Amino acid sequence: MCWYCGSPITNEQPIGRSACCPDCRKDLRSCRNCRFYLPGSGGGCRESSAEAQPDRERANFCDWFFLDEKYRRQSGRQQGDMEKAKVSRAAFDDLFK
């Protein structure tokens, strides 16, 4: 699932730099989707020889990128959370109509 919107990622490996989530249009080849991503660490990456990326949410050319397999599927709880978020978003949008 996309780190941003939670949609399952069905793209085959390797994921190209221009690949985007079909739902939210966020970059898929970003640190946030990588199996080596380690938030809170100095460089944000488990791979010590990887080049530091200035924006971990944008597409990059990192040679170490490999999609974290947890983003290929959604758990039942995540699906329920997604439905709640959609309902909440719709209610919020209705306030401004």
Side-chain angles (χ1 to χ4, degrees):
M1 64 180 199
C2 172
W3 68 268
Y4 186 77
C5 72
S7 298
I9 297 173
T10 57
N11 299 48
E12 295 295 320
Q13 295 280 17
I15 293 178
R17 184 177 186 280
S18 62
C20 295
C21 174
D23 293 330
C24 68
R25 308 301 301 160
K26 293 286 186 181
D27 296 322
L28 291 180
R29 189 183 176 97
S30 67
C31 294
R32 295 286 305 259
N33 283 331
C34 183
R35 73 173 169 184
F36 296 114
Y37 179 61
L38 185 61
S41 69
C45 187
R46 286 188 190 106
E47 185 54 56
S48 60
S49 59
E51 185 178 322
Q53 301 298 323
D55 188 350
R56 289 176 178 74
E57 296 178 4
R58 303 276 317 229
N60 58 57
F61 290 105
C62 181
D63 292 333
W64 294 99
F65 177 84
F66 195 82
L67 182 67
D68 194 333
E69 288 302 313
K70 70 182 179 185
Y71 292 122
R72 292 225 178 256
R73 59 196 174 280
Q74 280 184 324
S75 68
R77 180 177 178 191
Q78 290 165 333
Q79 289 173 345
D81 290 346
M82 288 290 296
E83 290 304 315
K84 288 179 188 176
K86 286 179 184 176
V87 169
S88 297
R89 194 171 302 130
F92 178 76
D93 290 342
D94 287 343
L95 291 174
F96 299 99
K97 288 184 178 179

